[in-house]
Amino acid sequence: MDANDAFQIHLQKLPPQDEKTFETIYTLGNGHFGIRASNPLQGNNSHFNGQPGMFVNGFYDLTELSYGENYSGYAQNSQTICQLPDPRFIIFEVDGIRSDETPYNVKMVDKNLDMRTGVLMEIFDIESPTNKQFRLTLQSFASHDNSHLFVINYSVSALNFNGALTIIKQHPYINQQIQTHSEDMRAAQRQTVLDRTYLKSKLPIMMISTRKSQLALIIAQQALNDNPMQVSILDDLPSYSKTFDLTQGMAQSFSFAYAISSPHPLLKTTLSQSAFAASVQKRLADKSFKQLLDESAAKIDQFWANSDVELEGDDTMAKGIRFNLFHLYQAAGRNGLTSIPAKGLTGPGYEGHYFWDAEMFMLPFFTYTEPAIARQLLLYRYHTLPQAQHRAREMGVNSGVMFPWRTINGEESSSYYPAGTAQVHINADIAYAVDTYLRVTDDDDFLFNYGYEIIVKTARFWLAYGHWATDKAHKGKFVIDDVTGPDEYTAMVSNNYFTNRMAQNNLHIAVKYSKRLKHNHADKLAELDVTDKEIDEFKLADEGMYLPYDDDLKIKKQDDVSTTKPVWPIKETPRNQFPLLLHFHPMTIYHYQVNKQADTVMTDILFPKNQDLDQLKRDFDYYEAITVHDSSLSRSIFGILAHRLHNADEAYRYFRQTVMMDLTNSQGNTADGVHAANMGSTWLGLIYGFAGLGMENRSFNLSPELPEAWSRLRFRIWFHGRQIEMTITQTEIMVKLLSGDSLQFYLKHKPFTLTKNHLVKEFIK
Ligand code: BGC
């Protein structure tokens, strides 16, 4: 495959899918917004059946949750990401007929995403009701240089006529209410109520505000100098419009920038609309599509220089991996006030909520390759500590914080607490991600100003929520009752293995960092009221944590009673009854041993040190047999473990499924948005799995083993401020220091010193 092709996602090479799935696959984004690649003529026209829209990270409306029985402490509001009007929208007028009033025929001919530049190229063949046919070629990109900008070029050529065609570029009218309802609880469920104000200004500019959350965005359009256009007032709105005389074979082309402000509280929209318009006009009017593209593409180059994974010997996987990494980059919030929704910014699924997905599945990729982005993602959690503290008190927990299971603004948004709020492991997951970030980056400033506070306050939660057992079975141990682990097919249990193990780590790192800071920064401990007594309590609970084990089966037990339940007859259940959650009452499912996703075994990846392979094999075999992978967060974990168990075929099979999940729509719901956690776990599978990257002492270790078909794997990481490149073949491994001072590291647990200009080379077979 030529080098350039390896970065192209060409429609003709993908398996056929419905229109909405392709809209998701080709979504463009930059962490601030995501725009689905929909039919640009659709707008509000119900004649078409796509799902166009733009999602702005952190822009949501509150939607009231209604319960038949509304118990105390239930989340009262959900937050729902707003599906905003499509900036790609354009109106054509031929023979006096406007395409927004009378539907034109639109046929999608081609799409190609160039992941090197971030440009999406699309071709649509369009026919007016008077049978005039023309071809529309779109080129667009979300700027990675200025995250407020979406830039689009429309090029029109006549196919069967010579004559006049008018284009009108104005903001689409928006439905005040985007009504959504689905039988599938994973899809968007609620409606957001939007108001829009079109503003009298020199540009088409509007403000969109939400009714209940009272947030506002300002959106302006500016024609670029490729084919300058004047604004005129059409339908009382400032609009760009122009009539062209089309001659067959001659294309007419025009470009626009679309500027999308950050969300502001409505009352504090200090940035007046006309000031925003003026600044957009000043900064953009003289620019061309190409200039803006070059600025953005330079940033994408930098991203690939840090984050690319070069894989030789398996072109399909190589491209699939890049696709997943590119989507992660497109989705990650960069302003410290936003994170990564479960569906990225590609669709309305899961209401646009952030879950543990971000910290446990996506953050490692950023921590190792784009640490500045990882820092911003963790800062988002730091900024929501006040809401998490409030939630803990509301839940009767008198110390520490309780992060929400699903949220946008930091408040709990889960209406089904057994598979929501009860997943208190999220506290420890966030602390784990902070610790990983600190170990990989050595960012003391982050530790001192933000990270330590997160770790201490989450650790305090465990002391308050758990307790020292007095009953016979658990006597003298620290236990945690009434929680739900990652496996959502088992709920409200005592001593979920994953939760207890993660809580133990949370307590452990609270002690570690308290001791470290005590030497030089005792003031920090005083500021957070951390006393020696409390550090001792953390330590005791860490050492006394109860971890359930089944002595007969000799496996780690998922919870106190998990192995006593009957096993769900997985093989006898017809295929069309999966995912089980759409076909059975939760209690029916809870009654059995059946796992939606990896739970207990995930701890083997998170704490790889001193693993006994026989134990791992027993755990793996047991849990694999009862796991149905109804969650997309499951297969990657089993794949990494299969690799550790030297089961190469199985490891590769799982890995393949995770890499291709959205490109092949294998979960069947890519239309609602990509599976961002699974995309993150593609990187985990490669780097934690096949490359065998892990932490060792104060450094890292590599124990690689590539699938047979792969001839070479190359990637880079940042570690303690140094950039390091690893190249792995079937027989050897080469490690090179690209920047920074020398450091010690490990290959198959053997120490090596890495210095500038000196390649460390070692045979692995
Ligand atoms: C999974 C959760 C996950 C959520 C969002 C659910 O189906 O069970 O673990 O956080 O999806 O991706």
Side-chain angles (χ1 to χ4, degrees):
M1 192 190 297
D2 81 59
N4 191 38
D5 183 60
F7 285 85
Q8 311 299 319
I9 302 293
H10 193 187
L11 182 76
Q12 315 295 344
K13 295 193 181 145
L14 297 179
Q17 302 289 351
D18 60 284
E19 187 178 337
K20 290 184 188 165
T21 301
F22 285 131
E23 291 177 357
T24 299
I25 289 176
Y26 285 103
T27 294
L28 292 177
N30 60 11
H32 174 43
F33 61 80
I35 295 168
R36 288 169 66 79
S38 308
N39 167 2
L41 271 64
Q42 175 160 341
N44 292 326
N45 206 320
S46 55
H47 171 82
F48 297 108
N49 48 21
Q51 185 168 285
M54 167 167 77
F55 300 93
V56 171
N57 209 348
F59 192 67
Y60 64 92
D61 198 11
L62 292 171
T63 51
E64 205 174 309
L65 292 168
S66 62
Y67 302 94
E69 295 162 75
N70 187 0
Y71 284 90
S72 172
Y74 272 20
Q76 292 306 303
N77 285 303
S78 180
Q79 303 131 41
T80 298
I81 197 163
C82 299
Q83 189 163 342
L84 301 169
D86 179 9
R88 301 155 50 94
F89 180 64
I90 187 161
I91 299 165
F92 291 104
E93 186 177 321
V94 181
D95 298 329
I97 303 173
R98 279 174 60 133
S99 60
D100 59 335
E101 291 166 1
T102 310
Y104 282 32
N105 264 326
V106 180
K107 191 173 141 230
M108 179 174 62
V109 179
D110 205 0
K111 281 187 198 284
N112 185 64
L113 171 65
D114 180 350
M115 297 186 288
R116 265 208 190 286
T117 58
V119 172
L120 173 64
M121 193 281 301
E122 298 161 275
I123 299 174
F124 297 91
D125 278 351
I126 302 175
E127 186 176 45
S128 74
T130 50
N131 302 113
K132 302 269 167 64
Q133 293 168 357
F134 54 96
R135 170 162 286 195
L136 171 65
T137 304
L138 285 189
Q139 290 194 75
S140 57
F141 63 92
S143 174
H144 288 269
D145 178 55
N146 175 347
S147 65
H148 296 288
L149 290 188
F150 176 67
V151 183
I152 185 159
N153 174 273
Y154 300 86
S155 171
V156 186
S157 56
L159 296 175
N160 69 349
F161 70 102
N162 293 328
L165 173 143
T166 303
I167 65 125
I168 301 165
K169 187 74 184 131
Q170 64 189 27
H171 288 293
Y173 286 98
I174 55 177
N175 290 329
Q176 275 208 337
Q177 308 201 341
I178 303 242
Q179 183 81 43
T180 47
H181 176 71
S182 167
E183 296 298 313
D184 183 343
M185 64 288 263
R186 299 165 301 175
Q189 295 290 313
R190 307 200 168 79
Q191 64 192 36
T192 55
V193 185
L194 298 173
D195 286 319
R196 46 103 192 92
T197 323
Y198 294 110
L199 298 151
K200 285 220 175 349
S201 122
K202 291 195 189 118
L203 293 180
I205 179 165
M206 72 174 169
M207 181 171 80
I208 296 186
S209 53
T210 55
R211 273 288 163 82
K212 294 206 182 118
S213 62
Q214 295 277 292
L215 293 174
L217 277 183
I218 301 168
I219 300 177
Q221 292 189 35
Q222 169 70 57
L224 298 176
N225 75 2
D226 301 63
N227 191 347
M229 272 187 221
Q230 299 306 316
V231 173
S232 51
I233 304 294
L234 275 183
D235 314 330
D236 287 339
L237 297 178
S239 314
Y240 288 103
S241 71
K242 194 158 182 167
T243 301
F244 299 98
D245 257 330
L246 290 186
T247 324
Q248 280 185 63
M250 295 273 295
Q252 292 283 355
S253 140
F254 34 96
S255 307
F256 297 91
Y258 205 84
I260 303 134
S261 78
S262 303
H264 295 279
L266 184 56
L267 288 174
K268 290 197 202 142
T269 308
T270 47
L271 197 61
S272 85
Q273 294 83 7
S274 46
F276 185 75
S279 89
V280 169
Q281 202 174 23
K282 190 159 145 243
R283 280 189 294 148
L284 298 174
D286 294 337
K287 299 259 182 164
S288 67
F289 181 90
K290 167 116 185 20
Q291 277 169 313
L292 293 170
L293 173 59
D294 288 347
E295 289 163 11
S296 173
K299 291 281 160 37
I300 300 180
D301 273 350
Q302 194 50 50
F303 165 71
W304 287 123
N306 287 330
S307 311
D308 191 21
V309 170
E310 290 170 45
L311 173 61
E312 277 174 21
D314 200 336
D315 290 349
T316 311
M317 286 297 100
K319 192 182 279 197
I321 291 162
R322 288 198 170 111
F323 174 75
N324 290 350
L325 302 185
F326 189 67
H327 260 289
L328 288 173
Y329 181 56
Q330 295 205 107
R334 317 221 169 126
N335 60 3
L337 302 171
T338 50
S339 184
I340 313 180
K343 301 283 175 191
L345 294 166
T346 63
Y350 282 124
E351 321 268 333
H353 290 162
Y354 315 130
F355 296 72
W356 72 316
D357 305 34
E359 282 77 15
M360 296 312 281
F361 292 82
M362 306 183 228
L363 239 122
F365 165 65
F366 291 107
T367 296
Y368 277 105
T369 69
E370 290 280 353
I373 295 182
R375 193 180 206 267
Q376 295 302 93
L377 294 169
L378 291 170
L379 272 179
Y380 159 75
R381 291 295 189 182
Y382 175 81
H383 288 131
T384 61
L385 276 170
Q387 292 92 309
Q389 178 152 329
H390 179 260
R391 180 65 175 155
R393 302 301 167 273
E394 188 174 55
M395 295 293 291
V397 179
N398 59 17
S399 156
V401 295
M402 197 170 173
F403 279 106
W405 175 242
R406 47 191 295 174
T407 188
I408 296 175
N409 69 6
E411 288 163 14
E412 180 61 272
S413 203
S414 153
S415 58
Y416 181 62
Y417 80 86
T421 303
Q423 291 200 54
V424 289
H425 64 83
I426 188 156
N427 256 9
D429 305 338
I430 293 169
Y432 183 97
V434 170
D435 182 43
T436 306
Y437 171 80
L438 291 171
R439 292 170 76 184
V440 172
T441 60
D442 222 12
D443 181 349
D444 279 342
D445 175 74
F446 187 82
L447 169 66
F448 182 81
N449 289 307
Y450 314 104
Y452 181 60
E453 187 171 339
I454 296 179
I455 289 171
V456 164
K457 291 186 169 171
T458 45
R460 282 180 177 153
F461 167 83
W462 299 112
L463 285 189
Y465 196 72
H467 64 101
W468 289 98
T470 49
D471 67 302
K472 220 164 129 206
H474 307 97
K475 198 159 182 162
K477 287 289 187 186
F478 193 82
V479 293
I480 305 173
D481 292 328
D482 305 315
V483 304
T484 297
D487 164 34
E488 295 185 349
Y489 285 174
T490 310
M492 299 307 294
V493 294
S494 289
N495 297 310
N496 165 256
Y497 190 99
F498 178 91
T499 306
N500 287 22
R501 183 67 189 88
M502 291 296 285
Q504 180 180 44
N505 178 67
N506 198 164
L507 293 157
H508 188 80
I509 59 178
V511 175
K512 174 175 91 174
Y513 289 112
S514 297
K515 284 188 177 158
R516 192 187 295 177
L517 285 179
K518 215 173 137 183
H519 285 301
N520 303 327
H521 296 289
D523 52 322
K524 189 75 201 173
L525 276 69
E527 182 192 318
L528 296 171
D529 291 328
V530 180
T531 59
D532 286 346
K533 180 169 167 283
E534 187 173 39
I535 300 174
D536 277 347
E537 283 171 0
F538 288 156
K539 186 161 181 286
L540 284 175
D542 160 19
E543 289 167 0
M545 184 65 70
Y546 178 70
L547 295 173
Y549 192 80
D550 188 308
D551 289 321
D552 298 327
L553 295 165
K554 299 211 175 341
I555 58 158
K556 293 174 187 150
K557 208 158 58 156
Q558 187 167 327
D559 58 65
D560 274 0
V561 298
S562 62
T563 50
T564 58
K565 295 179 190 170
V567 173
W568 183 283
I570 296 174
K571 291 219 169 70
E572 290 73 41
T573 309
R575 279 309 316 155
N576 63 8
Q577 306 241 301
F578 292 91
L580 301 179
L581 63 101
L582 296 186
H583 303 277
F584 299 91
H585 189 280
M587 279 179 68
T588 310
I589 301 175
Y590 300 162
H591 223 66
Y592 289 87
Q593 289 191 62
V594 59
N595 287 9
K596 182 180 180 189
Q597 63 206 96
D599 188 296
T600 310
V601 291
M602 196 165 155
T603 61
D604 295 324
I605 289 171
L606 300 173
F607 306 102
K609 237 179 161 177
N610 304 329
Q611 295 270 352
D612 166 8
L613 277 195
D614 293 331
Q615 179 65 51
L616 190 59
K617 170 129 184 49
R618 286 195 299 276
D619 294 337
F620 181 91
D621 289 346
Y622 187 85
Y623 288 105
E624 192 187 35
I626 60 168
T627 301
V628 290
H629 308 295
D630 280 352
S631 159
S632 64
L633 281 62
S634 189
R635 287 188 177 83
S636 56
I637 304 301
F638 280 94
I640 297 172
L641 289 178
H643 174 77
R644 291 217 175 131
L645 291 166
H646 306 292
N647 189 341
D649 290 346
E650 202 164 356
Y652 185 69
R653 183 173 57 83
Y654 276 124
F655 180 71
R656 220 189 135 78
Q657 289 170 350
T658 61
V659 173
M660 300 308 285
M661 188 175 285
D662 286 305
L663 282 173
T664 59
N665 189 18
S666 64
Q667 294 286 111
N669 60 357
T670 293
D672 293 328
V674 297
H675 299 81
N678 172 71
M679 290 177 149
S681 61
T682 297
W683 190 88
L684 294 181
L686 262 177
I687 310 298
Y688 285 13
F690 300 122
L693 176 74
M695 227 88 80
E696 184 132 333
N697 300 325
R698 290 259 300 143
S699 192
F700 65 90
N701 171 65
L702 278 184
S703 298
E705 198 180 323
L706 300 188
E708 261 175 27
W710 297 2
S711 48
R712 197 175 69 117
L713 173 69
R714 172 178 286 169
F715 63 97
R716 294 166 174 191
I717 62 167
W718 284 95
F719 196 87
H720 290 193
R722 287 110 166 146
Q723 194 173 31
I724 302 156
E725 182 175 87
M726 336 271 181
T727 309
I728 303 164
T729 68
Q730 289 291 337
T731 52
E732 51 181 17
I733 163 157
M734 283 151 284
V735 183
K736 200 160 118 189
L737 184 64
L738 299 180
S739 73
D741 299 338
S742 55
L743 90 162
Q744 195 172 68
F745 76 107
Y746 299 82
L747 284 182
K748 295 200 143 187
H749 311 288
K750 221 170 84 186
F752 285 86
T753 303
L754 192 57
T755 49
K756 254 241 174 92
N757 309 321
H758 172 72
L759 190 73
V760 173
K761 209 166 169 178
E762 178 77 352
F763 289 101
I764 48 180
K765 266 188 192 155

